Structure formats: C-alpha cells, structure tokens
Amino acid sequence: MEIIRIDVRNETIPEDTITRESLTDRIFTGLTEQVQSFQTNNLQPVINATGVVLHTNLGRARLSGQAIGQITSTAASYSTLEYNITTGKRGSRHDLVEEYLTKLTGAEAAMVVNNNAAAVYFILKALAFEQEVIVSRGELVEIGGSFRISEIMKESQATLVDVGTTNKTHLKDYAEAVTDETALFMKVHKSNFKMIGFTDEVETKELMALSKAHNVPLYEDLGSGTLFDFKKHRIGNEPTVQEQVAAGIDVISFSGDKLLGGPQAGIIVGTKEIVDKLKKHQLARVLRVDKFTLAGLEATLKSYVLEQEQTEIPTVRDIVETQENVFKRAQLFLEQVEQTKSEFYFTIEEDTSKIGGGTMPEVEVHTYVVSVTHETYSSATIAEALRQKNIPIIVRVHNDRVLLDFRTVDTDEIHIIVAAFI
Ligand SMILES: *Cc1c(COP(=O)(O)O)cnc(C)c1O
C-alpha cells in the first residue's frame, strides 16, 4: 500500500496515532475500497430524477427497447454491416439507414457520421474548403463542450464571412456579401439560447431565394433536429427536419441523440448531388459510425416510420408525457416510501421540467416533483448520499430542497429510489 507508506513518510498520518492495529485497519479499508471500486464500472447506469429529459452529462437520450434489442443482437453475432445478402458481395453501410431517412424527411439522400459536430466540420470541409461561407453574426453560437461555429470554420479551412449584427441580420447583408468565392450560405439553429427584444433574422424562405439566384447552396445546422412535431403538442417551436427539407434547404445536419432519441450520431440529409460528394470524400471514412450506432439508429428510425415514436422512444415519450402520468408515478413513490417509516419528509408539488441537451431552452413542461427534506441533513448531504448508492440517483436541488422529478423516472425504477431512503 504505497499510499499509506507515502502518508507515513509525509506525516499526513499523525505520528501518535500510528500503531500496528491502526495501520492494519487502514490497509484493509484501502483494500476493500479498491475491490469495491473494481466491482462497479466507471461508466455505470444512474437514475435520472432531475426531470431533464436530454441530460447531456447523463448520456442524453435513453434508447428504445427496440434499439437496445437491435444493438444487443448485432453485438452478439456477425451482421450485414457491409454485405449485400442478395448478391453475396460487398455492400455499403451507408445504405442501412439512408432509405429510412429519405422516407422520413423527404430528402433525396442521406448519410450518417459520428455526431453533429463532426457533420458540421465535414460539410464545411467538403463543400467550402478554402472558400467563403456566409453566416449571420447572430448565429455564431457556442454549443456545450466548447464547440464554436467560428472555430470549427477555422479548423475546416473555410473562410467565415459574418454578416449583420448580433441582434439583426437582413437579407441585403447576405446579398452584399456574395462573391465568386462564396461556397455556402449557412444557417445555424439557435438551439441553446433565445434572442428577445429588438431582433431580426432572415427567414429560411427568403434566404432560399437568394441561394437559388446565386446558385450557392444553403446549409442549415439544425442542432437537435426533430422528426416529431412537438409544436403540435404545444411544446416549443422547433421546426421539424421534414419542414426544413420541404422549404428547399440543400443540406441539413442534426444530432441522433437529442430530440430524435437515438444513439449519438450526426445525420446529414440533402440533395443527391451534395450527399454523393460527401460520401466520396476522404473524411467520410474518418468520421464513419460503427455497427452499434447503425443498429440503434435503424431501430429508432423504424419507430418513426411505423408512427410508434410516442410510445416506443423514451425521449419523445418523456417530453410529451402528461402531468397526470408524472403525478401517478410520484404518488406511487410516495405510497411505497410512506410504508417504510423513512425518517425523511416527502411532499408532492407542482413544478416544471426542462428538456435539456441544449434544445428548446425556453420550454418548461408542467410536471410533479416530490420534495424531500430531513430534520438534520441538508439538501446537499441528501443529494450526495443518493449519488453514493449502488445505482446512483441524480436529483435536482432547489432552494435547499431535494426535488425528485418523476418525468424521467420509469415505474420500474421507483422501488430503487424507495430503497435509497430506508
Ligand atoms: C448540439 C448541437 C451541435 C453538436 O451536436 P452533437 O451531436 O452534440 O455533436 C451542433 N450544432 C448545434 C446547433 C447544436 O445544437
């Protein structure tokens, strides 16, 4: 136990406490901790009681049962990843999900890369290398994890031509910036913030006309990108991917693991001409996805094709979940925990949940939370104790109270939370 030797040498263990027994105790405690830490994985499942459906730090989207099944069976055996069963010859992994994506979005062609950040880089590099890309100053955003449009542009060696001002950009700003070197117009969806007040941006439709007039393609980084129309459920104002395709945008990219509710991926849909160019580019191989992503993505997209996304895909289901259903789960928890003579106090309260994942920042959906207090323990102490459980429970802490938001807790997880309070 090198660490104990160092502690003794550095006198961090007080000399008068050093006895044979105390050192033996320390060694055994240390060993037990080491064995225990080996029994749990570094990447471990947790219960998300924060109510934030797309919690980036907790792995964003939970996958559907169908996606999990498809990933598991693909992992356990050989598969048709790049094999055409009909011809017995080599196939392309691009083909596995392309038809689902074109059918669902109305685009001519589609492909998938590692994540949307990779898709942005790839599109700029493949379509605008050493050329100019016109972007509004109001859309030069930073997305969590230090991904900045301006920086990614530099990396891809495309020249950023920023137009307009932070709060207002007009069509003439774009028009005046067009030169022989212009390769792309780029729109970046403001996923993680909202501008209010004296603001103006150019609508996609207007920019479309300019793009056609100059024969310069329009690219939109949609960020979260959704196939499900949350607007119809009066949640937020996200355009669907199919609406943007129908508006005539030449190429669009979005994430697989945000509102879509699938595995991490960067999905690109667009004209056949552009997507073919991307598929042939050297970077397509560098940024390609693995078979598990494709397995999970195919199953996820299938739910959309079969119009089962609202019941099968946890992300969609949890976002549109009614307040009444969340209340039922909160009450189920309360009934069970009250039978245990727990020393904690629990009350059900109305509250709101956030969508998270840098999507729909202004949206708050009505929910129910269980507020937890204790005579002596602070909320921080309770939250920490819950994190230390075998299956860690991650909670919201607000005004010195621990809040359990049952929007993101499944019925079959309730007993685990109950046990944590005994
Ligand atoms: C989230 C986001 C990205 C990055 O997507 P990842 O799939 O996380 O790599 C890029 N652009 C916008 C606008 C986003 O919201």
Side-chain angles (χ1 to χ4, degrees):
M1 300 295 286
E2 187 58 25
I3 194 92
I4 293 174
R5 214 172 278 132
I6 291 169
D7 279 350
V8 171
R9 228 183 276 138
N10 295 346
E11 297 173 11
T12 32
I13 304 179
E15 210 177 310
D16 51 356
T17 68
I18 300 180
T19 61
R20 189 185 173 81
E21 288 76 42
S22 77
L23 283 183
T24 318
D25 269 358
R26 269 176 189 272
I27 290 167
F28 273 105
T29 316
L31 281 175
T32 312
E33 276 171 14
Q34 275 190 11
V35 171
Q36 277 172 351
S37 76
F38 199 69
Q39 279 168 345
T40 58
N41 292 319
N42 288 335
L43 181 59
Q44 52 178 326
V46 303
I47 291 178
N48 173 10
T50 67
V52 179
V53 179
L54 291 168
H55 198 302
T56 298
N57 304 136
L58 302 182
R60 287 195 186 153
R62 286 194 277 188
L63 296 186
S64 68
Q66 289 76 4
I68 296 163
Q70 181 76 344
I71 290 171
T72 312
S73 60
T74 305
S77 58
Y78 295 104
S79 61
T80 55
L81 181 64
E82 290 187 352
Y83 188 82
N84 185 321
I85 287 288
T86 319
T87 62
K89 298 216 171 76
R90 188 188 171 142
S92 160
R93 71 176 70 204
H94 291 309
D95 296 344
L96 296 172
V97 292
E98 183 165 14
E99 211 178 307
Y100 288 96
L101 286 167
T102 53
K103 191 175 160 74
L104 286 163
T105 65
E108 280 173 21
M111 73 180 292
V112 180
V113 293
N114 241 308
N115 54 25
N116 189 32
V120 176
Y121 172 71
F122 183 28
I123 289 168
L124 292 174
K125 187 100 183 175
L127 305 182
F129 178 73
E130 293 186 340
Q131 287 175 284
E132 294 174 356
V133 181
I134 305 177
V135 190
S136 157
R137 291 205 172 94
E139 295 172 17
L140 291 175
V141 301
E142 173 175 311
I143 294 124
S146 71
F147 173 87
R148 287 183 171 175
I149 294 297
S150 49
E151 296 300 317
I152 212 75
M153 193 83 77
K154 247 185 233 157
E155 286 295 331
S156 67
Q157 289 162 277
T159 306
L160 168 68
V161 178
D162 46 350
V163 298
T165 60
T166 304
N167 57 331
K168 283 203 173 199
T169 302
H170 307 286
L171 191 63
K172 71 172 190 333
D173 297 322
Y174 284 95
E176 285 166 6
V178 178
T179 71
D180 289 348
E181 293 299 307
T182 310
L184 274 183
F185 289 110
M186 182 179 184
K187 287 279 286 174
V188 184
H189 188 60
K190 291 188 276 297
S191 347
N192 57 0
F193 71 106
K194 191 177 168 70
M195 286 212 295
I196 52 167
F198 189 61
T199 65
D200 208 352
E201 70 171 304
V202 176
E203 291 293 324
T204 304
K205 270 198 284 282
E206 293 176 85
L207 201 51
M208 236 13 272
L210 192 67
S211 146
K212 294 276 180 275
H214 289 275
N215 201 18
V216 170
L218 173 60
Y219 162 43
E220 180 161 28
D221 170 12
L222 252 191
S224 24
T226 178
L227 297 176
F228 182 82
D229 200 350
F230 289 100
K231 297 191 293 299
K232 279 200 183 138
H233 292 256
R234 277 177 278 151
I235 299 172
N237 200 20
E238 283 291 307
T240 62
V241 180
Q242 48 279 31
E243 280 164 7
Q244 298 307 82
V245 171
I249 300 176
D250 302 276
V251 57
I252 296 172
S253 71
F254 57 100
S255 290
D257 58 348
K258 289 186 181 171
L259 292 173
L260 188 84
Q264 178 190 304
I267 299 171
I268 301 170
V269 297
T271 62
K272 186 161 181 337
E273 189 188 339
I274 288 179
V275 175
D276 277 350
K277 197 166 173 183
L278 296 173
K279 282 178 183 168
K280 285 193 201 110
H281 195 279
Q282 276 297 312
L283 275 178
R285 174 66 172 78
V286 176
L287 303 173
R288 81 176 186 188
V289 288
D290 73 344
K291 56 185 176 180
F292 306 120
T293 303
L294 287 164
L297 190 58
E298 176 174 11
T300 305
L301 294 173
K302 191 175 270 180
S303 293
Y304 284 97
V305 171
L306 299 173
E307 296 179 12
Q308 296 299 319
E309 66 271 27
Q310 217 180 312
T311 48
E312 291 179 354
I313 298 177
T315 302
V316 179
R317 185 196 63 206
D318 292 349
I319 294 173
V320 300
E321 179 72 302
T322 62
Q323 200 182 8
E324 294 72 50
N325 281 342
V326 181
F327 181 78
K328 278 186 204 152
R329 294 202 290 276
Q331 198 165 39
L332 210 57
F333 166 78
L334 210 62
E335 282 165 13
Q336 291 182 24
V337 83
E338 277 170 353
Q339 286 166 18
T340 66
K341 304 193 182 69
S342 164
E343 295 168 8
F344 295 84
Y345 301 106
F346 304 93
T347 50
I348 295 192
E349 294 167 17
E350 263 198 274
D351 206 330
T352 53
S353 332
K354 290 217 166 270
I355 310 300
T359 70
M360 305 201 263
E362 79 284 15
V363 172
E364 301 204 326
V365 278
H366 293 289
T367 196
Y368 276 98
V369 295
V370 172
S371 147
V372 186
T373 48
H374 189 273
E375 231 158 80
T376 47
Y377 303 149
S378 70
S379 55
T381 307
I382 302 172
E384 192 198 337
L386 292 171
R387 286 201 303 275
Q388 301 305 327
K389 295 288 167 190
N390 261 346
I391 300 179
I393 300 162
I394 316 299
V395 299
R396 204 148 90 203
V397 177
H398 187 67
N399 289 340
D400 201 32
R401 287 173 324 147
V402 164
L403 303 178
L404 308 171
D405 187 337
F406 282 81
R407 173 168 301 279
T408 45
V409 176
D410 283 348
T411 307
D412 60 9
E413 291 174 323
I414 291 176
H415 72 279
I416 302 168
I417 310 183
V418 171
F421 286 105
I422 301 173

